[in-house]
Amino acid sequence: MATTLAMTAALIGGLMGANEGVGYLLSSGQENADTATVIGMVLLLLLMGWSFYELIEALRRRMEAHFAEG
């Protein structure tokens, strides 16, 4: 849950005043009505969120297995 909140906070920060990054590209695409950029950034954010979730879940399972053994 913390990784999701961290990503949300980073995106909001990027939308509010960054000069580069995913949030900036998303905001710029919205302002310029560039649908391809907006869809690309949304898909990138989806992939990043899913990847972070799976990484944390894999670490959690590994830790559970390690501590269950011992």
Side-chain angles (χ1 to χ4, degrees):
M1 182 176 227
T3 57
T4 305
L5 292 174
M7 282 191 57
T8 303
L11 178 61
I12 290 171
L15 287 170
M16 299 202 93
N19 293 329
E20 57 186 25
V22 176
Y24 173 75
L25 287 174
L26 181 60
S27 179
S28 175
Q30 288 175 333
E31 291 172 7
N32 297 323
D34 186 359
T35 307
T37 299
V38 172
I39 291 173
M41 292 304 103
V42 169
L43 290 175
L44 178 63
L45 289 167
L46 174 85
L47 181 63
M48 288 171 57
W50 178 73
S51 298
F52 287 146
Y53 174 81
E54 289 298 325
L55 175 67
I56 297 300
E57 188 64 21
L59 289 171
R60 183 191 63 80
R61 285 191 300 264
R62 186 171 179 175
M63 287 177 62
E64 280 182 354
H66 176 72
F67 289 115
E69 292 174 0

